Amino acid sequence: MEIAAAVSAGERSALEVVDEHLDLIAQRDPELHAFNLVTAESARAEAAAIDARVSAGEAVGPLAGVPLAVKDNMCTKGVPTTCSSKILEGWRPPYDATVVERLRQAGAVSVGKTNLDEFAMGSSTEHSAFGPTRNPHDPSRVPGGSSGGSAASVAAGFTPLGIGSDTGGSIRQPAAFCGVVGMKPTYGAVSRYGLIAFASSLDQIGPIAADVSGAAALFDVIAGHDPLDSTSIGDFAPTASAVLDEGVEGLRIGVVKELSGGPGGVPGLAVDVLARAAEAVEVLAAAGALVDEVSVPSSTLGLSAYYLVAPAEASSNLARYDGVRYGLRVDGPTSPEMTTATRTAGFGPEVKRRIMLGTYALSAGYYDAFYGKALKVRTMMLNDFARVYENFDVLVSPTTPTTAFELGTRTQDPLTMYVNDVCTIPSNLTGHPAISVPFGVGDDGMPVGVQVLAPALHDAQTFRVAAVLEAAS
Amino acid sequence: MSEPAPAAASETPVESALPEGWELIVGLEVHVELDTATKLFCGCVNRFGAEPNTNVCPTCLGLPGSLPVMNERAVEMAMILGRALGCRVNRSVMARKNYFYPDMPKDFQTTQYDQPTNSDGLLELADGFVVGIERAHIEEDTGKSVHVGGGGRINEAVYSLVDYNRAGVPLIEIVSRPDIRTIEHARNYVEELRAIVVATGVSDARMEEGSIRVDANVSVRLRGSSELRTRCEIKNINSLRSLGRAIEHEALRQIDLWTTGSGPQQQTRHWDEDAGRTTPGRSKEDAEDYRYFQEPDLVPLDPTPATITAIDEAMPPLPAARRAALRAATGAGVDAARLLVERGQDGLAMAAVAAGADGAKTVTRLVNDLAVDDWSKVEAESFAALVRMESSGELSASQAKQVLGDLVEAGGDPAAHAAARGFEVMDTTELESLLDQLIDDNPGEWSRYCGGDEGERKKMQGFFTGQIMKATRGQADGKVVAELLAKRSSS
């Protein structure tokens, strides 16, 4: 990264870089509300320490002095971590998430914790206990979600880099809405240790950046094995930055019919978004890729399966917020009444809705019809994609059905909100990597994102294709 | 899932504490805390009795963002115990059991559900009765609550304290099939399981520290029927004595309900040791729905056949085999064999017999006189020599006992200890004159010895033997005294 190179070479002061970005945040974040918390003091101290090391001739990391926005569902030692929920009021983690630790080692300077839909449950960052984040391209519109704060921070120029988490599209969808690059790695490529769980089998931390090379640099730092996460891949060596210039000549690229407005596919994809996606495919073909249409029938079932698996796991993951040990406690005459009062006051409506959905899906007598069936769909999708990847290296689709919508227009009807994730969810259910890269704008002038999907462990491939699209847009 | 093991169905014993015509059905769920260095999913020390909340970390406190990492040694111990119980070791997965309790940090317990590590084993009791093992699975322990005020019940307490040191300690839950028919066998089952746990080294299995805990599933039926009637699960059983009392009380309670009405409700009941009765807990209607599902934060456990072979090859001799070997070598009875194997003195006994000691005497001496914690100085060779000295009459029983005490204290040569104590074989003529004197001094006792029934005769034999022992400071051989008495009375 440019900033890191300049800081490492002693050409720029990390402190100056951080101060410039803090100034920007101070000017415009009151309007956008990308951040739940700006940690200006510790950011300046870290930047000064990097400058001191550069002066002393010591080596600094590959992201030295680069301002970073961390989604507020990742643990930061001694710094409030809220998940944008009242239930974690006052809680300061006694430890750092592995990703936070790795980024610090790499020299990145965290300037604060970014807003999200409460516990990452949402697609607009409107479901935050601390108020919504607004889209820097048009503050009357949402930034997407749930990593809306990190995406908005990058889009507004507050930070060149942002960290998000993606359970059903929570990195890619806000990246598309905000006109930035967002990538969900292969499940297990990045440690989840310290990421506050929403749906453990789907959650994955990933990079958000203004450009593909920034996202690749960030990915290369955060990916890799972590013994603290049992689902972490044993010998994953990230190589995204190394393949950005390789082009797509000879690459076999499939256009997923069901996610591209084809008959029998997912409904509700906007014409302007589909047009940009089609243009992106033409760009790739012109660059020498072998492009063909391909059918992945089960991809249409993703949304229903997701809204059983994710709430089911969430209902278990969020059980610990009971008022006994940390966070909010609303007193009651007995222990169960205390817990009920705490949860009633502490959780927002969307979180409550998903806990109830998930509890129901796992209940005795309903498991087979709901959760069990969703697991079968997951297996089916894995088989479907495995078959497709015998003939294709990557797949493309739009990232989202539409461009960013106006605040307040979808919060009343959960189903219209859930449909936002229809193109991104399959990669979470299969555990495969996928990236969203900006490609032109819609009829409303708002950014459009194109998604590139790859099979497990081929994360670098998504960056490689995204780099070609970025160059052409 | 729970058909009785074929071996158990053979000879059905009867529980005599129950009214005529009723049969007792018991299945036991035993939790054993594994003796690992660290907890099941984190690096915290696994130790009983530490200052509250000192052995804790983000993972065992269930803090947001923390993740479990499986303790490989715990998995290995689980498989060792499984194989010792004759179980099949399966590809297994961890599952979440969702329920709420303040001492459970995550408000779910990480355990195993439909894919346990071990299944379908057998446990043979000391008397040969076989109990089927349904499964032996891995799970984590919870923290420990102390409810202050309000009779110690959570909802009436003034306040509650929670110690999370125990949270995340590895447990194996061993679930028996409902094969047990008597209280005695229920106790024997726990004793035998405990012996296996200790022999395999997976736990110290101290009931008083809670490192082995027992729940009993109890039901009753009319003898001759093969139905399984409504059962109740009895919790809070803290000793073998409680186990017997709780089962008996619960069975009688159920029989009463069947006799006077439509029988018990399926429910969890709490054993109240002081009141000597069970009190109702949750009933089936308001039983929790645990919403089990596979733990997404952990990967399946899939041991290779080579791993299981290695476990089998390294398996130490198990109590049943050790008892059988001991009985074959020494002629020890069922109880003596059980006791000596439990104490770990079977090796000493076998070695003594191999060195020429009499089997019966060896067993008697060990059972009666080696009930000590530390007998490490008693070597097989010298113990064998001691038994030989007793058999040949060189030492009387009471002298042998004293010399054994010397061996426990200091080890060494029994002959040297005997000499140091001045033990010599007593001249029979010396004993005879002593006895004559005693008979003269105690004519009443002597006539009761000569003219009394069997019991009286025994009592008086004890009297005279005691007097002689007193006079000889224990150097006389009681058997010789008995012979002399018999000879004198018949002459």
Side-chain angles (χ1 to χ4, degrees):
Chain A
M1 291 206 66
E2 232 170 89
I3 293 173
V7 167
S8 304
E11 293 156 11
R12 288 189 76 182
S13 142
L15 184 56
E16 274 175 34
V17 170
V18 165
D19 276 339
E20 281 168 24
H21 288 88
L22 287 172
D23 282 349
L24 266 176
I25 293 169
Q27 282 166 32
R28 208 180 168 203
D29 202 47
E31 178 199 11
L32 297 181
H33 187 220
F35 286 90
N36 283 342
L37 177 72
V38 177
T39 51
E41 209 174 303
S42 66
R44 299 188 79 245
E46 279 177 40
I50 288 168
D51 287 336
R53 292 181 62 186
V54 171
S55 308
E58 289 172 36
V60 286
L63 299 178
V66 183
L68 169 77
V70 176
K71 189 178 182 180
D72 201 12
N73 62 350
M74 288 170 225
C75 290
T76 41
K77 189 174 179 178
V79 177
T81 300
T82 69
C83 286
S84 288
S85 178
K86 281 188 245 168
I87 203 128
L88 275 168
E89 192 177 272
W91 184 62
R92 290 167 189 256
Y95 71 107
D96 275 325
T98 296
V99 161
V100 168
E101 177 58 30
R102 285 196 180 183
L103 284 163
R104 183 179 298 115
Q105 293 294 327
V109 178
S110 170
V111 298
K113 307 293 292 283
T114 58
N115 199 11
L116 62 149
D117 290 292
E118 186 177 0
F119 283 98
M121 297 177 187
S123 307
S124 67
T125 317
E126 291 170 288
H127 295 301
S128 163
F130 311 127
T133 297
R134 292 170 182 273
N135 193 314
H137 293 274
D138 176 355
S140 74
R141 295 175 191 257
V142 300
S146 65
S147 309
S150 286
S153 174
V154 172
F158 294 164
T159 55
L161 301 179
I163 285 287
S165 65
D166 190 316
T167 306
S170 278
I171 289 173
R172 292 162 286 161
Q173 186 256 14
F177 277 15
C178 290
V180 297
V181 177
M183 192 263 180
K184 184 204 87 80
T186 297
Y187 185 78
V190 179
S191 170
R192 290 183 295 117
Y193 189 77
L195 168 67
I196 298 180
F198 159 17
S200 311
S201 75
L202 303 166
D203 295 343
Q204 189 61 195
I205 293 175
I208 297 172
D211 53 30
V212 175
S213 72
L218 186 48
F219 172 78
D220 286 347
V221 165
I222 61 176
H225 181 65
D226 178 11
L228 295 177
D229 176 357
S230 307
T231 61
S232 166
I233 297 164
D235 51 1
F236 188 86
T239 56
S241 299
V243 303
L244 296 182
D245 299 332
E246 287 183 5
V248 293
E249 194 162 353
L251 211 63
R252 299 168 302 168
I253 296 179
V255 178
V256 184
K257 278 193 237 176
E258 287 80 1
L259 302 180
S260 303
V266 299
L269 302 180
V271 175
D272 54 349
V273 171
L274 286 172
R276 292 303 90 74
E279 287 158 23
V281 170
E282 282 167 28
V283 164
L284 295 171
L290 311 170
V291 178
D292 202 353
E293 280 202 324
V294 61
S295 176
V296 189
S298 61
S299 59
T300 59
L301 302 174
L303 197 68
S304 328
Y306 174 85
Y307 275 97
L308 291 169
V309 173
E313 292 181 12
S315 72
S316 175
N317 283 328
L318 272 63
R320 71 191 67 192
Y321 306 107
D322 54 18
V324 174
R325 289 161 298 272
Y326 45 77
L328 183 71
R329 177 185 289 180
V330 178
D331 274 323
T334 65
S335 167
E337 286 165 288
M338 178 278 286
T339 293
T340 301
T342 299
R343 289 172 172 171
T344 301
F347 286 137
E350 183 61 26
V351 171
K352 286 175 183 159
R353 180 179 297 126
R354 297 205 196 186
I355 290 173
M356 285 188 279
L357 273 174
T359 303
Y360 189 76
L362 287 173
S363 295
Y366 297 97
Y367 181 99
D368 290 341
F370 295 116
Y371 190 71
K373 201 162 253 173
L375 294 185
K376 284 187 185 132
V377 168
R378 240 180 136 166
T379 307
M380 203 157 106
M381 286 181 83
L382 269 169
N383 293 337
D384 256 11
F385 275 96
R387 182 177 48 73
V388 168
Y389 282 127
E390 283 172 12
N391 300 314
F392 293 91
D393 298 304
V394 297
L395 304 174
V396 294
S397 79
T399 306
T400 57
T402 66
T403 55
F405 46 88
E406 305 263 329
L407 263 80
T409 53
R410 302 211 179 168
T411 43
Q412 294 315 306
D413 179 3
L415 284 180
T416 61
M417 187 71 94
Y418 295 171
V419 166
N420 265 292
D421 299 327
V422 71
C423 299
T424 46
I425 275 172
S427 307
N428 297 88
L429 289 169
T430 58
H432 293 169
I435 199 168
S436 177
V437 59
F439 197 86
V441 295
D443 296 344
D444 52 8
M446 293 301 287
V448 169
V450 168
Q451 185 180 218
V452 181
L453 303 88
L457 306 177
H458 289 77
D459 301 61
Q461 205 80 296
T462 65
F463 287 98
R464 178 181 163 192
V465 177
V468 172
L469 292 175
E470 180 180 66
S473 70
Chain B
M1 201 138 156
S2 51
E3 40 185 300
S10 52
E11 188 72 26
T12 311
V14 182
E15 177 51 54
S16 58
L18 262 49
E20 186 74 28
W22 287 92
E23 185 174 35
L24 175 67
I25 313 285
V26 175
L28 296 175
E29 295 174 13
V30 179
H31 287 84
V32 173
E33 275 183 4
L34 294 179
D35 214 352
T36 50
T38 55
K39 293 186 182 181
L40 187 54
F41 299 128
C42 62
C44 287
V45 172
N46 169 20
R47 195 175 60 224
F48 179 81
E51 193 69 14
N53 297 313
T54 51
N55 295 329
V56 292
C57 74
T59 292
C60 60
L61 284 176
L63 292 188
S66 65
L67 292 172
V69 177
M70 183 59 90
N71 181 335
E72 285 177 19
R73 178 66 185 143
V75 176
E76 189 189 12
M77 284 179 161
M79 295 190 292
I80 290 170
L81 185 56
R83 294 301 291 168
L85 294 170
C87 289
R88 189 176 66 234
V89 176
N90 311 296
R91 176 187 188 272
S92 57
V93 298
M94 303 307 292
R96 291 187 184 180
K97 180 181 184 180
N98 294 286
Y99 67 101
F100 170 78
Y101 205 77
D103 61 20
M104 199 164 55
K106 299 169 292 183
D107 286 326
F108 60 78
Q109 182 189 29
T110 307
T111 175
Q112 295 184 321
Y113 182 50
D114 53 357
Q115 298 174 68
T117 294
N118 306 296
S119 59
D120 299 311
L122 296 167
L123 184 75
E124 190 186 334
L125 305 185
D127 67 359
F129 185 79
V130 174
V131 180
I133 303 288
E134 189 178 305
R135 55 193 279 148
H137 69 252
I138 305 170
E139 62 184 28
E140 62 177 336
D141 211 341
T142 61
K144 218 169 181 173
S145 302
V146 180
H147 305 299
V148 182
R153 297 184 90 99
I154 179 169
N155 288 338
E156 284 89 53
V158 180
Y159 63 91
S160 300
L161 298 168
V162 190
D163 176 8
Y164 292 104
N165 281 349
R166 200 181 68 179
V169 163
L171 293 176
I172 302 297
E173 179 176 345
I174 303 108
V175 182
S176 88
R177 296 190 189 279
D179 292 346
I180 297 166
R181 297 288 176 271
T182 67
I183 290 165
E184 186 60 21
H185 274 167
R187 286 205 208 93
N188 293 161
Y189 173 87
V190 176
E191 283 166 347
E192 185 62 17
L193 185 53
R194 193 181 169 279
I196 291 170
V197 162
V198 171
T200 49
V202 304
S203 174
D204 58 10
R206 293 201 177 120
M207 219 164 176
E208 68 281 8
E209 288 183 4
S211 60
I212 180 164
R213 307 197 282 271
V214 184
D215 299 332
N217 283 301
V218 177
S219 67
V220 293
R221 69 181 172 201
L222 292 169
R223 285 191 59 76
S225 121
S226 60
E227 63 182 339
L228 284 176
R229 293 193 180 186
T230 308
R231 68 169 191 273
C232 290
E233 184 181 1
I234 318 300
K235 291 189 174 288
N236 195 42
I237 297 169
N238 296 319
S239 66
L240 285 179
R241 183 168 172 272
S242 298
L243 177 65
R245 292 182 72 204
I247 292 172
E248 179 176 350
H249 172 273
E250 178 59 21
L252 293 173
R253 187 188 74 86
Q254 291 183 14
I255 290 169
D256 188 49
L257 288 170
W258 285 117
T259 313
T260 59
S262 54
Q265 283 187 311
Q266 184 169 335
Q267 60 184 188
T268 298
R269 296 181 68 85
H270 201 77
W271 172 245
D272 184 336
E273 178 68 33
D274 296 332
R277 62 193 177 98
T278 60
T279 56
R282 290 190 306 269
S283 69
K284 195 186 177 186
E285 286 68 37
D286 54 34
E288 301 216 35
D289 177 354
Y290 293 122
R291 292 173 285 120
Y292 284 100
F293 69 103
Q294 189 172 329
E295 168 59 88
D297 287 330
L298 289 166
V299 293
L301 304 171
D302 201 0
T304 62
T307 303
I308 295 163
T309 305
I311 284 172
D312 288 347
E313 283 169 358
M315 188 68 74
L318 295 172
R322 284 164 58 184
R323 282 193 305 263
L326 180 65
R327 295 187 63 186
T330 64
V334 170
D335 291 339
R338 178 160 66 197
L339 186 72
L340 293 186
V341 167
E342 208 175 286
R343 287 198 206 147
Q345 292 170 347
D346 50 324
L348 186 59
M350 308 269 283
V353 170
D358 172 65
K361 276 222 155 42
T362 295
V363 169
T364 309
R365 204 43 66 226
L366 289 175
V367 167
N368 294 343
D369 302 320
L370 207 53
V372 292
D373 287 335
D374 181 10
W375 39 275
S376 57
K377 290 183 178 143
V378 183
E379 281 165 19
E381 280 293 319
S382 49
F383 177 68
L386 175 74
V387 176
R388 283 199 306 265
M389 286 165 78
E390 189 189 347
S391 300
S392 70
E394 266 177 80
L395 290 175
S396 70
S398 77
Q399 287 172 332
K401 188 173 170 168
Q402 292 176 65
V403 172
L404 183 54
D406 296 336
L407 292 180
V408 169
E409 286 294 315
D413 177 15
H417 287 296
R421 283 180 174 273
F423 292 162
E424 285 159 34
V425 184
M426 278 207 81
D427 197 343
T428 313
T429 52
E430 212 176 308
L431 272 182
E432 275 174 349
S433 60
L434 248 176
L435 192 59
D436 287 341
Q437 186 65 44
L438 276 171
I439 288 170
D440 287 349
D441 294 349
N442 303 283
E445 279 77 3
W446 180 242
S447 67
R448 280 162 69 191
Y449 176 84
C450 296
D453 58 15
E454 184 70 16
E456 194 69 10
R457 207 176 161 87
K458 269 254 140 54
K459 224 158 107 187
M460 289 307 109
Q461 180 184 317
F463 169 77
F464 285 108
T465 310
Q467 294 295 316
I468 286 182
M469 287 298 173
K470 214 163 132 190
T472 62
R473 296 189 319 282
Q475 295 206 27
D477 188 333
K479 256 167 50 189
V480 177
V481 176
E483 279 163 22
L484 288 176
L485 279 167
K487 210 166 86 186
R488 283 296 301 270
S489 68
S490 62
S491 63

